[in-house]
Amino acid sequence: MAIQIINTAPIAGQQPGTSGLRKKVGQFSQPQYLENFVQSVFDTLGDCRGQTLVLGGDGRYYNRTAIQTVLRMAAAHGYARVLLGQGGILSTPAVSCVIRKHGASGGIILSASHNPGGPDGDFGIKYNIGNGGPAPEKLTEAMFARTQAITEYRISDAADIDLDAPGLARIEQMSVEVIDPVADYAELMQRLFDFDAIRALFAGGLRICFDGMHAVSGPYASAILEGMLGAPKGSVINGVPLEDFGGGHPDPNPVNAQELIARMASDDAPDFGAASDGDGDRNMIVGRRFDVTPSDSLAILAAHATLAPGYRAGLKGIARSMPTSGAADRVAAALGIPCFETPTGWKFFGNLLDADMATLCGEESYGTGSNHVREKDGVWAVLFWLNLLAAKRQSVEEIVRAHWATHGRNYYSRHDYEDIDSAGAAQLMEAVRAQLATLPGQVVDGYTVALADDFSYTDPVDGAVAGKQGIRIIMTDGARIVLRLSGTGTQGATLRLYLERYEADVARHDLPTQEALAGLIGVAERLAQIRQRTGRDAPTVTT
């Protein structure tokens, strides 16, 4: 074995987005593409000698090949130890868990999260820092700057190691420990939730369906739900990770998780349904013929947090991304704790969690989590709901309706316009921005605009400012329209339109969501001219 220094040149476009660098597999597999970015990460981190790195991914196509490259480069940069998930598998929340438990300096996650996989699909790479959370913007910006100036990379010429054999391997002076990807994470879950009560729930006949979507959470759900908690065999469907996610789109929403939705709507539906995404950090919760919005899920878990052992002392605060509905704000007010509104991206929650200012966090894009790690966590959310069911002895629908009766209902929807022309999407956003100064006070289709701005966030911990985080149009009755461009796609642009209206009257809690929001949808179309500017008559996905 020897360490080689290979000449290279900058490759355009290696700028991390909301959660790492995501591109098509064809781009990542081009000569020196992955190596350039990994070298830029290590250059930005500085002296890595003697440190521990956590490494794993979601099992998508190119994952195993990329792991071998990262291992050889880590060895060339002096890492003493790598903790590698067996088979290259580690969910994103499990990486955070392992970093924190073993005192690693950071971790590399190979995933494009909820994006499609396979040879023609997407691939991604993300660096997580020593607290277990995603690298902050100042660090990812430095990594991008380095990709534009790189001239060489360092790599060992060692042979590939066996990713599937538990135990120790060695590359140069670096030890590689192939670990059980579930063990550390499952141990943490046992400390947070009442496993005995959940076991009793299953022993009493509760039936569930967890859709792993042929993605990384399948092994975690099988080991914990079926193995440790006694859920009937077959409760986990699509539980084996596949390189192309079985040809599906591993994004847990009613459109993509159709098998789960069909089961939960059948005459013999299970009592509880859930799904997770490609890298295991998102969740969807479903009752019998009853969907739970991510915004409501966050609010309900917060309202009943003390029913779970890990949160019995109560919450220090709640944090939500700006596009997420205000349902959690109402719970925070009732509990007398703060609710923080941040930009989209889990990295913005990290400072709040580290400073013990927030305990639960959530994003409207099916992401919920807490201070147990520094990532959102799909299986954690499912276990929290099961703990809630065990404690309250109510159905999913009964719990949600009781919450609405207490706090009111925030009708909420997201309309996604995927793979639209990037230049046209940017022009649409600029055209709306040009109206912001004159909108307050205007009456549009019966709504009076109270506030119109481009959301800017000042971190209450370190004072960092993040601007242009999404356009908000807020009405005098609290109804909201939010527009932003997603940072997680790999081609074209995705325009996200968020709509929210609060309803206190219990007698009006059963309106179809799109009907309840029809007025706001009309206002959004009038102000943004979405159909005209995108050429789309309807959203690609409505959730």
Side-chain angles (χ1 to χ4, degrees):
M1 292 186 290
I3 295 173
Q4 300 178 319
I5 300 176
I6 309 295
N7 292 330
T8 190
I11 298 173
Q14 291 193 317
Q15 183 166 15
T18 303
S19 193
L21 179 66
R22 296 179 184 176
K23 300 290 183 181
K24 290 294 182 184
V25 168
Q27 287 181 268
F28 261 105
S29 58
Q30 290 175 0
Q32 301 186 324
Y33 192 95
L34 175 64
E35 290 87 345
N36 272 23
F37 188 77
V38 174
Q39 181 66 49
S40 298
V41 170
F42 291 152
D43 284 349
T44 303
L45 296 176
D47 188 357
C48 303
R49 289 176 296 179
Q51 297 181 0
T52 296
L53 181 74
V54 178
L55 176 62
D58 60 15
R60 69 177 56 229
Y61 185 84
Y62 197 63
N63 191 65
R64 296 173 73 93
T65 299
I67 282 175
Q68 301 287 359
T69 297
V70 174
L71 285 172
R72 291 196 295 269
M73 293 187 70
H77 285 82
Y79 277 97
R81 181 188 186 206
V82 172
L83 298 174
L84 172 67
Q86 186 177 6
I89 294 292
L90 272 178
S91 74
T92 290
V95 168
S96 185
C97 170
V98 173
I99 290 172
R100 294 169 65 80
K101 177 178 177 178
H102 295 277
S105 60
I108 289 179
I109 301 171
L110 299 170
S111 171
S113 187
H114 54 286
N115 292 9
D120 298 320
D122 297 340
F123 192 75
I125 180 169
K126 180 176 78 166
Y127 184 78
N128 279 30
I129 59 176
N131 74 346
E137 282 192 327
K138 61 182 179 182
L139 193 57
T140 57
E141 288 169 359
M143 292 171 183
F144 174 55
R146 183 60 189 154
T147 68
Q148 298 175 300
I150 190 171
T151 59
E152 62 184 31
Y153 63 86
R154 296 169 60 84
I155 188 168
S156 169
D157 65 357
D160 288 353
I161 70 163
D162 187 344
L163 305 182
D164 301 305
L168 290 173
R170 183 166 291 276
I171 300 176
E172 305 293 347
Q173 302 303 307
M174 182 182 79
S175 69
V176 180
E177 185 176 348
V178 179
I179 63 172
D180 181 334
V182 178
D184 287 336
Y185 178 84
E187 178 187 60
L188 177 58
M189 294 302 104
Q190 284 183 286
R191 297 203 304 269
L192 296 175
F193 302 113
D194 189 343
F195 272 32
D196 288 339
I198 300 173
R199 285 191 194 97
L201 200 62
F202 287 129
L206 183 88
R207 294 186 301 132
I208 69 169
C209 180
F210 180 98
D211 189 350
M213 305 190 83
H214 288 303
V216 78
S217 63
Y220 294 83
S222 296
I224 297 172
L225 297 177
E226 294 184 0
M228 299 173 69
L229 293 172
K233 293 297 182 184
S235 295
V236 177
I237 63 172
N238 303 320
V240 177
L242 299 177
E243 290 192 334
D244 66 348
F245 304 116
H249 189 165
D251 190 358
N253 61 52
V255 175
N256 294 323
Q258 291 184 4
E259 181 178 354
L260 171 67
I261 295 299
R263 290 196 182 202
M264 297 306 297
S266 69
D267 291 338
D268 189 36
D271 303 286
F272 176 84
S276 190
D277 71 326
D279 66 334
D281 64 358
R282 296 186 178 201
N283 74 92
M284 178 174 67
I285 303 299
V286 189
R288 285 180 174 171
R289 298 185 179 89
F290 192 86
D291 299 346
V292 182
T293 72
S295 297
D296 278 347
S297 182
L298 171 64
I300 290 166
L301 295 182
H304 301 289
T306 55
L307 295 176
Y311 307 93
R312 199 148 282 158
L315 308 180
K316 293 296 181 68
I318 305 170
R320 65 165 177 84
S321 64
M322 181 271 288
T324 301
S325 91
D329 303 53
R330 298 181 182 280
V331 171
L335 295 175
I337 59 176
C339 187
F340 299 93
E341 184 179 40
T342 76
T344 297
W346 208 260
K347 57 193 172 187
F348 291 104
F349 295 139
N351 277 359
L352 296 170
L353 295 170
D354 285 346
D356 202 25
M357 297 170 68
T359 308
L360 294 192
C361 304
E363 296 177 335
E364 53 72 36
S365 55
Y366 293 89
T368 327
S370 84
N371 59 353
H372 70 290
V373 291
R374 294 298 182 269
E375 291 279 5
K376 49 186 177 280
D377 190 345
V379 172
W380 167 91
V382 171
L383 291 170
F384 210 143
W385 266 94
L386 289 173
N387 199 140
L388 186 56
L389 293 177
K392 295 188 72 64
R393 297 289 171 171
Q394 293 177 303
S395 70
V396 171
E397 182 175 355
E398 287 170 339
I399 289 171
V400 174
R401 289 192 178 280
H403 182 85
W404 290 344
T406 301
H407 298 281
R409 180 175 182 181
N410 288 72
Y411 280 103
Y412 183 84
S413 184
R414 187 181 89 186
H415 294 188
D416 289 355
Y417 296 81
E418 296 177 346
D419 194 19
I420 60 177
D421 177 70
S422 296
Q427 289 171 4
L428 182 153
M429 294 294 285
E430 288 305 318
V432 179
R433 285 191 181 100
Q435 303 174 58
L436 295 179
T438 59
L439 280 177
Q442 283 193 33
V443 178
V444 185
D445 293 351
Y447 283 95
T448 302
V449 179
L451 172 70
D453 67 2
D454 203 340
F455 180 60
S456 179
Y457 176 70
T458 300
D459 192 301
V461 179
D462 63 14
V465 177
K468 282 195 170 183
Q469 295 297 314
I471 292 171
R472 301 186 300 177
I473 301 171
I474 303 175
M475 311 305 175
T476 52
D477 65 355
R480 294 195 309 159
I481 295 169
V482 174
L483 290 155
R484 60 179 291 272
L485 299 180
S486 172
T488 59
T490 61
Q491 62 183 19
T494 295
L495 173 70
R496 300 202 197 280
L497 168 65
Y498 310 86
L499 305 140
E500 176 183 5
R501 180 175 75 81
Y502 177 70
E503 179 58 68
D505 185 356
V506 176
R508 296 183 58 79
H509 284 176
D510 283 318
L511 297 174
T513 298
Q514 301 308 312
E515 177 184 320
L517 297 171
L520 281 178
I521 294 170
V523 173
E525 177 61 36
R526 181 183 295 274
L527 296 178
Q529 298 180 317
I530 297 173
R531 290 184 182 181
Q532 177 182 331
R533 292 182 179 276
T534 66
R536 304 286 180 86
D537 290 330
T540 312
V541 178
T542 298
T543 52

